[in-house]
Amino acid sequence: MLFRSDNFFLNKYSGAGSLGIFYIATTFAGIFSFIKEAFLSSFTPYYYNLNKQGELNNKTSLVVLDVLYLIGFFAIGISMLNSEVISVLSSNKELVEARRFIPLLVGGLLMIFVSQLVNISIMLQTELVRFFVVITIISLIVNVLGDYWLIPRYGLMGLTVVKVIAYSAQLFVSLLINLRLSKERRMPVLRMWIAALVIFSRSEEHTSEL
């Protein structure tokens, strides 16, 4: 649904050429998505096992932050290297423009990763799982309204910013729900938020340099 909305507004206001550029940008951002999902699939059963054994503690919070920092390393690396890779693979100047949008898209996916980490702890408290529907609906509304408002004015950059805003909104709601968890199950949300913002700012620096 989100990608259909993105493609519809982008094709309508910026043309098919922008769709090609966006496809390349999302493909490179997808490399980071693959990495984060691999980490998430390994970390989730580890976290559940700790909860089952009653061993969720401050040490667990440090492990969560370590995972976030490691994923942040990959985010910064992809943001730094994408320009060189695209320049080698394509001589089409228009397609090379995709490099401007990749750091922001990767930064947005980083926000999704933090949200997914927080959601692991939320799923341990079954009465809060229903709020996942709220998270999805809010992200959808923000994305569609952002497409309608920003793409006609700023084109592909507007779409990229919309993705970051929608992902950040999803993270913000997850953090609010996390506050309703019992103390031992809460994620270190403040430190996670600060870490994510620092990593995102480092990734975004490469957008301004291009």
Side-chain angles (χ1 to χ4, degrees):
M1 175 65 183
L2 294 181
F3 280 104
R4 289 182 179 179
S5 172
D6 298 336
N7 292 341
F8 171 78
F9 283 101
L10 190 62
N11 185 54
K12 179 178 181 180
Y13 292 103
S14 298
S18 294
L19 288 176
I21 296 173
F22 184 64
Y23 173 78
I24 292 178
T26 53
T27 299
F28 271 81
I31 297 173
F32 173 74
S33 182
F34 176 81
I35 294 173
K36 76 176 181 63
E37 290 300 326
F39 272 90
L40 197 66
S41 63
S42 300
F43 180 76
T44 301
Y46 166 76
Y47 190 88
Y48 284 171
N49 187 53
L50 289 178
N51 177 71
K52 185 177 180 180
Q53 297 175 2
E55 296 181 359
L56 291 180
N57 48 40
N58 292 332
K59 184 178 180 180
T60 310
S61 298
L62 294 177
V63 173
V64 172
L65 289 172
D66 288 341
V67 171
L68 178 55
Y69 292 140
L70 184 57
I71 287 295
F73 171 79
F74 285 105
I76 295 174
I78 293 173
S79 298
M80 292 176 62
L81 297 177
N82 77 82
S83 177
E84 288 74 13
V85 175
I86 292 179
S87 298
V88 170
L89 295 178
S90 177
S91 58
N92 188 318
K93 293 183 178 180
E94 291 185 355
L95 294 182
V96 171
E97 283 296 303
R99 62 186 182 178
R100 296 177 52 224
F101 311 105
I102 294 173
L104 280 172
L105 289 174
V106 170
L109 289 174
L110 178 66
M111 299 298 176
I112 286 292
F113 179 69
V114 177
S115 176
Q116 289 172 315
L117 286 178
V118 173
N119 290 344
I120 292 174
S121 62
I122 295 175
M123 284 188 285
L124 295 176
Q125 202 154 321
T126 54
E127 66 271 17
L128 296 179
V129 173
R130 66 182 186 275
F131 286 107
F132 287 157
V133 177
V134 177
I135 295 173
T136 303
I137 292 176
I138 290 176
S139 179
L140 174 63
I141 293 174
V142 170
N143 196 100
V144 173
L145 291 179
D147 286 345
Y148 176 78
W149 181 259
L150 293 179
I151 291 179
R153 292 166 174 78
Y154 304 105
L156 192 49
M157 181 55 75
L159 172 57
T160 307
V161 172
V162 167
K163 305 307 292 184
V164 175
I165 294 174
Y167 293 154
S168 299
Q170 183 172 332
L171 170 58
F172 180 72
V173 177
S174 294
L175 295 178
L176 290 180
I177 297 173
N178 182 78
L179 296 177
R180 300 188 59 174
L181 296 173
S182 56
K183 186 176 180 180
E184 65 273 11
R185 289 181 176 178
R186 289 179 188 173
M187 290 285 189
V189 292
L190 180 58
R191 285 177 289 174
M192 292 173 69
W193 181 258
I194 294 174
L197 289 179
V198 171
I199 296 169
F200 177 80
S201 65
R202 294 296 298 172
S203 299
E204 197 275 334
E205 281 181 11
H206 300 284
T207 302
S208 59
E209 292 172 1
L210 299 175

